[in-house]
Amino acid sequence: MIETTPRGRAALLADVGGTNARFALLADGKLGPITHFAVGDYASFLDALAVYLGASARAEKPAHAILAASGAVQNGRCALTNNSWIVDAEELRGAHGFSTVRLINDFEAVAWALPRLGPSSLLQLGGRPGVSGAPLAAIGPGTGLGMAVSIPHSDRQIVLSSEGGHATLAGGSLREDAVIEHLRQRFGHVSAERVLSGAGLENLYGVLASIDGVTPPNRRAADITRAGIERTCPTSRAAIDMFCAMLGSVAGNLALAVNARGGIFIGGGILRHMRDHLVASKFRQRFEEKGRLRKFLEPIPAYLILDDDVAFVGLRNLMEVEGIG
């Protein structure tokens, strides 16, 4: 267990996503229970935080806060990409009297966790053991599509946040090209996130139904996943098949872009619900299908992160590295 706060000094840890916000207190080197809040139930981040702190049984107020938020962080402020919340470090200091507030992108927190993840937290998806000292990259479809990179440096690590999920999506087949063209008519720019996210899976489902001339029932991402795995809906099955294949292509692009010979790590909640399907899908084939660079990608391992609380692993690691508290 990582001892990151002096005894008697508590720190607030938070993972703020587009759908859920999760809070926990770290005190005396121990992480307390993680409490979940539905973002849609609160008008603002401060409202949700006030409820959490008010309900906390701990009498001592946390002196420090370290938060991960799903969006670009600029000057200590993050306007979340997929909801109306804003997380602002200065506002938090004023409202709750924290002596230090650190705000990072949510997948930056995942990247901070990568060196701390053991075999029990990972499911390997092909490749060989990663090259020691080489960059590690995190990617994950959830409410959005997150990316970040961890670069070992001496006895420390350098973590780079990324908005690569908003890079332009390329098709890997004529059918995928047709899907992207449909989405382009709707959105103009078609990013990877328009397909590789919860809303993206719903986009895939709707477009494939249109292309195939069928009218399946309206389904949310969780229902598409379930129906696809159970093979009760051909359109749902086609959607999750294409989702996994296109994720393989995008993950392979990320591996090439950052030379991630230490491994690609896949987070986000969607794929933990279809791990067997991901293993059997074209994910790995598409990951490696990079023409002349196939031999470069073949040994690079990919892993599905199984730990639901990986962001908190990363936040604790960052606290230790930076001496927060």
Side-chain angles (χ1 to χ4, degrees):
M1 194 165 285
I2 305 169
E3 296 287 339
T4 55
T5 55
R7 295 201 170 271
R9 302 294 299 279
L12 170 76
L13 274 61
D15 178 23
V16 188
T19 305
N20 296 291
R22 300 184 298 156
F23 300 98
L25 291 177
L26 182 66
D28 298 333
K30 298 179 180 179
L31 186 68
I34 297 171
T35 304
H36 295 240
F37 288 77
V39 169
D41 291 344
Y42 299 89
S44 71
F45 173 72
L46 284 179
D47 288 344
L49 177 58
V51 171
Y52 171 73
L53 293 176
S56 174
R58 188 180 178 88
E60 179 192 3
K61 292 178 64 176
H64 310 281
I66 180 165
L67 312 99
S70 59
V73 177
Q74 296 181 319
N75 300 318
R77 187 178 186 272
C78 177
L80 272 68
T81 304
N82 291 295
N83 65 50
S84 61
W85 279 13
I86 293 173
V87 184
D88 187 289
E90 285 300 321
E91 189 176 48
L92 287 171
R93 288 188 186 94
H96 294 284
F98 296 116
S99 60
T100 59
V101 178
R102 182 79 150 83
L103 177 61
I104 63 174
N105 174 266
D106 60 339
F107 254 75
E108 191 177 343
V110 174
W112 278 107
L114 298 183
R116 301 295 182 100
L117 297 180
S120 65
S121 297
L122 300 169
L123 173 65
Q124 187 162 352
L125 305 166
R128 298 194 285 272
V131 175
S132 178
L136 316 172
I139 182 172
T143 304
L145 178 63
M147 294 184 189
V149 182
S150 172
I151 304 171
H153 179 68
S154 186
D155 59 345
R156 297 169 65 87
Q157 68 184 115
I158 298 169
V159 170
L160 305 177
S161 62
S162 170
E163 291 299 325
H166 298 282
T168 304
L169 179 66
S173 67
L174 291 176
R175 186 165 169 83
E176 289 181 4
D177 290 345
V179 167
I180 291 170
E181 180 56 32
H182 272 68
L183 293 173
R184 186 177 294 116
Q185 292 174 20
R186 178 179 173 188
F187 297 110
H189 177 249
V190 182
S191 67
E193 183 172 289
R194 291 296 190 189
V195 167
L196 300 176
S197 60
L201 182 56
E202 294 168 11
N203 289 337
L204 271 181
Y205 176 79
V207 171
L208 288 170
S210 177
I211 290 173
D212 294 339
V214 297
T215 310
N218 290 329
R219 287 189 167 99
R220 302 302 300 270
D223 300 318
I224 296 167
T225 300
R226 187 179 307 109
I229 291 171
E230 295 174 355
R231 293 181 178 271
T232 58
C233 169
T235 304
S236 295
R237 183 71 178 193
I240 65 171
D241 284 347
M242 187 172 286
F243 186 96
C244 292
M246 295 181 91
L247 178 64
S249 288
V250 174
N253 288 345
L254 178 59
L256 289 175
V258 301
N259 195 25
R261 293 182 298 152
I264 292 284
F265 296 77
I266 305 165
I270 295 174
L271 290 163
R272 284 196 292 272
H273 297 294
M274 57 165 128
R275 66 177 73 173
D276 293 338
H277 184 78
L278 179 64
V279 171
S281 75
K282 291 186 177 181
F283 168 85
R284 187 70 205 190
Q285 176 185 329
R286 292 283 292 272
F287 179 86
E288 296 177 3
E289 277 184 353
K290 301 297 181 188
R292 292 170 293 173
L293 270 293
R294 173 186 286 275
K295 292 297 183 183
F296 178 86
L297 285 163
E298 282 178 352
I300 294 178
Y303 304 93
L304 177 63
I305 299 173
L306 305 177
D307 189 345
D308 289 339
D309 300 321
V310 62
F312 288 89
V313 176
L315 292 174
R316 293 180 69 176
N317 186 25
L318 177 58
M319 289 190 71
E320 181 181 62
V321 168
E322 297 200 350
I324 298 173

